[in-house]
Amino acid sequence: MKQAIKLLSTWKDKKIKYKILIGKNKKEFRPDSFQVFMQAPCGRLLTKVVLEDLGYKEKYKELLIYKEPFFISLKKSCQKQETKIYINEDFK
């Protein structure tokens, strides 16, 4: 239920991305336009819907080369941070 609410909260954004992908791929299939969407599960779902509506359902297998493995995407999102603690001498 929580995931459904999350997806519905981004519905307007998904409609805009849907229209953009339809527009870019209407005349010919352009795999590079789907590259960004293949990184997240909701993006892959959007990709499947767009491909099905365009009649390119079988092309999804070609787009799987753009999907990063989970551990690589996790490693990219984790950044090293440094924590510094300052002690104020006035409060001793």
Side-chain angles (χ1 to χ4, degrees), residues 43-81:
R44 289 191 290 274
L45 183 61
L46 178 67
T47 298
K48 285 181 179 181
V49 170
V50 169
L51 290 174
E52 190 172 336
D53 290 350
L54 289 171
Y56 297 133
K57 191 174 182 177
E58 71 283 348
K59 301 276 188 183
Y60 183 76
K61 291 179 184 175
E62 293 176 28
L63 298 175
L64 288 175
I65 61 168
Y66 295 120
K67 180 183 170 189
E68 285 184 340
F70 174 73
F71 290 109
I72 291 175
S73 62
L74 184 64
K75 189 175 180 180
K76 282 184 179 180
S77 66
C78 293
Q79 296 179 1
K80 184 179 175 183
Q81 293 183 355

Side-chain angles (χ1 to χ4, degrees), residues 3 7 12 20-21 24 26 36 56 72 89 92:
Q3 290 289 36
L7 286 172
K12 286 183 182 180
I20 290 170
L21 285 172
K24 284 184 176 182
K26 200 173 225 176
V36 175
Y56 297 133
I72 291 175
E89 298 293 326
K92 282 189 173 184

Side-chain angles (χ1 to χ4, degrees), residues 3 6 8 11-12 14 17 25-26 30 35 38 40 46 60 65 82:
Q3 290 289 36
K6 233 183 204 184
L8 286 174
W11 183 248
K12 286 183 182 180
K14 296 291 182 239
K17 290 176 181 175
N25 292 281
K26 200 173 225 176
R30 295 179 49 203
Q35 186 172 3
M38 292 301 290
L46 178 67
Y60 183 76
I65 61 168
E82 186 177 319

